Amino acid sequence: MFTGLIQALGKLQYLEAGRIKVTLSTQAHVILTDVELGDSIAVDGVCLTVEKILSQGFVAAASPETCDRTTLGNLTDTAIVNLESSLRVGSKIGGHFVTGHVDGLGHLISAEQDENAWTLTFSVDSPTVARYIVPKGSIAVNGISLTVATCSDSGSEFTVAVIPVTYQETNLQYLSPGSPVNLEGDILGKYVERFTGGRKSDDGSSGENLSLAFLAENGYL
């Protein structure tokens, strides 16, 4: 589990057999201070398991499915990636709960700078991701916890306002129109959908939608 607050940037390098090496700058070594073998680190929002700890980075494995479903399968060597170590009990939660399980891809449409923020607009490739995007809701873009400013009715396009420090300390600054990004919808929205309109009956058919009658029956009214 992560919070979407990026701790460092690293350079990615592909090794043999689906293994990935991430090299950190000297200033970013703080992310390695308490990392142990088997720990999880989010790389551009993708939860990976540390297989080897290096003096200036780490090595992790990415399965073929992970590479197929995320940007990790298409990045070039030396690509800059966002890094966040897993949440520890008692740690501050400054963003929102991010699982590191990417729902799908999106693409940058535009990035516009104004006086005190950047406005980034993204398209969403899949309706299964778009359904979790709502105005003022949370979205993880390349592992960064962001708030949706506006979105289309279908969720297939959305904008976020990014403060300068977030823009400068993450790989958002390296995106250009058309660049792919990893997207993860808010896990709370997924559970709400599952237990309300997205519920299934025992035979697999769609359950009833959330209603006043349902809420009353289950003690909410």
Side-chain angles (χ1 to χ4, degrees):
M1 186 70 72
F2 308 91
T3 69
L5 298 185
I6 303 305
Q7 296 171 302
L9 294 175
K11 286 187 178 181
L12 179 144
Q13 178 184 354
Y14 292 102
L15 305 177
E16 72 286 347
R19 297 165 72 238
I20 292 175
K21 175 183 176 181
V22 177
T23 302
L24 289 75
S25 65
T26 303
Q27 296 85 350
H29 282 185
V30 63
I31 199 172
L32 298 176
T33 54
D34 62 348
V35 170
E36 300 178 357
L37 293 179
D39 280 357
S40 296
I41 293 182
V43 178
D44 263 4
V46 183
C47 180
L48 298 179
T49 300
V50 175
E51 291 189 339
K52 185 176 182 180
I53 301 173
L54 309 174
S55 60
Q56 294 184 333
F58 62 91
V59 173
S63 69
E65 180 180 6
T66 296
C67 290
D68 288 343
R69 291 178 176 269
T70 71
T71 60
L72 294 186
N74 295 297
L75 295 177
T76 59
D77 272 354
T78 72
I80 304 298
V81 290
N82 297 321
L83 302 172
E84 180 189 358
S85 57
S86 57
L87 180 65
R88 301 295 197 262
V89 175
S91 298
K92 293 181 179 180
I93 303 175
H96 72 281
F97 286 122
V98 178
T99 65
H101 302 153
V102 172
D103 292 316
L105 298 179
H107 290 82
L108 178 70
I109 296 176
S110 64
E112 299 178 0
Q113 185 178 17
D114 56 28
E115 292 183 0
N116 60 359
W118 287 81
T119 299
L120 276 60
T121 303
F122 294 94
S123 63
V124 183
D125 290 2
S126 170
T128 58
V129 182
R131 68 198 302 172
Y132 301 118
I133 298 176
V134 297
K136 310 310 176 187
S138 296
I139 181 75
V141 178
N142 278 355
I144 308 164
S145 175
L146 298 171
T147 300
V148 176
T150 63
C151 66
S152 61
D153 290 341
S154 64
S156 61
E157 186 176 308
F158 69 94
T159 64
V160 292
V162 180
I163 60 175
V165 65
T166 300
Y167 190 82
Q168 295 163 6
E169 296 187 3
T170 68
N171 64 7
L172 292 178
Q173 63 184 298
Y174 302 113
L175 299 180
S176 58
S179 293
V181 292
N182 295 317
L183 299 176
E184 181 187 334
D186 190 349
I187 191 173
L188 296 180
K190 298 172 187 177
Y191 278 115
V192 169
E193 179 188 57
R194 178 73 176 102
F195 290 113
T196 56
R199 293 179 298 119
K200 302 290 185 180
S201 59
D202 292 339
D203 63 3
S205 61
S206 296
E208 62 179 334
N209 292 326
L210 182 66
S211 65
L212 292 177
F214 172 81
L215 293 174
E217 180 183 348
N218 287 274
Y220 290 95
L221 294 175

